Amino acid sequence: MAARQPRFNQQVLIDTTPLPDDIPKVKEIGASSAPLMSASFFIGARCKPYNDDYMVCKTEANGKGELECMKEGRKVTRCAASVLEDINKYCLEDFRKHWQCLDNNNQQLWQCRSAERSLNKCVFDNLKLEKVIPGAPENEVPVHLRKRQIFAHPGRH
Amino acid sequence: MPQDMPPTGGYEPVQYKRNLPARGFRASYYLIGVGLIMTYGFYRLGIGIRERNELGREKMWSRIHLIPLLQAEEDRDQVRRYLADKAREKELLGSETKVYHSDRFVRPTFAAVPKDLTK
C-alpha cells in the first residue's frame, strides 16, 4: 500500500477535519528523519513493549488494525515523545550535534561516530538508555563502538 | 656433372635455442608475490564486508525501532480521514453505505476535495 500523500501543483488538497472528540488527542511526534534516526535506538530501548504491543495488535487485527489499534498507537507515540523530550532536556547539545551531522552526511551513521559516542554517553548517564544492536555477533566489538570505521571519510572516527 | 654434396666434416650445428638473457626473477616468485598480495586484499575485503553487514544491521534496527511510531502516526491520519469521509457521507446522503464486502480497513482510492481549500 503506497503511503504517499497526493501532491497537486496548484493547491494542497488535504482534508483537515480533526478526529472526533471521543478519541483522545495525542500530539504527533513532529520530528524529521535525522533526529528520529539519531534517537531511534533510545526510542527502541524505552518503548519496546509498547512498540511490540502495537505491532502484535496490528498483526492480529486482521486488516482492521487502523481502527482497532488506535489506543496502542497513542501509547507508542506518547512513549517516543517522552524519549525525545528527555533527550532534549538532558542532552540537547550532543543530540543536536549528532543529528545535524547525520543530516550533513546523508544519514550515514558511521560518519558521525564521535558525536554519537558523546550522545550515547550522555543519554546513558542521564536516562539509563543504552544503544544495543540486537543480533550482532557476540565475539566482536559492536560496530558503533569500534575505534576505526572503515567506511568513514578519512579523519573521522 | 658433379652432385652437390655436404661439406667435408658435415654442416655446422644449427642454433635453434634463443640466446636472450632472462630478465627479472624466477616466474614462481612472481606467482607467490601476486598470491600474497591477493590474499591480503581478500582478507581486507572480508573485513570490510563484515563491517558493512554490521552497519546494515544497525541501520535496519534503527528503522525497526521507528516503524511502529511512523505507522501509528500514519494510521491515525488515515482513521481521521476515514471518519471525516463517513461523517460527510452521512451528512450528504443521509445513510452510511457499505462499499466493500469486507470489514477490513481499505485505504480510499479517491479523495473528496474539501470545500474550503487550504493553501
Side-chain angles (χ1 to χ4, degrees), chain B residues 11-12 17 21 39 49-50 103 112:
Chain B
Y11 290 107
E12 283 178 15
K17 269 189 178 166
T39 310
I49 289 174
R50 278 166 189 231
D103 288 337

Side-chain angles (χ1 to χ4, degrees), chain A residues 1 10-13 15 17 28 40 54 58 62-64 66 73 77 113 131 134-135 137 148 150, chain B residues 44 51 54-55 57-58 61-62 72-73 75-76 79-81 88 103-105 107 117-119:
Chain A
M1 251 194 263
Q10 300 302 315
Q11 63 265 102
V12 189
L13 298 179
D15 191 356
T17 321
E28 295 297 355
S40 63
Y54 180 67
K58 287 272 291 188
N62 200 16
K64 292 176 280 183
E66 280 83 351
T77 304
R113 292 298 182 201
K131 171 170 176 175
R148 204 175 111 75
I150 297 178
Chain B
R44 291 304 303 264
E51 174 140 341
E54 291 310 308
L55 290 169
R57 193 197 306 279
E58 184 187 26
W61 273 101
S62 101
E73 178 168 348
D75 282 359
R76 223 171 293 126
V79 170
R80 178 181 68 76
R81 286 159 193 251
R88 204 176 299 118
D103 288 337
R104 295 190 171 199
F105 181 84
R107 272 180 90 100
L117 291 177
T118 47
K119 265 280 180 205

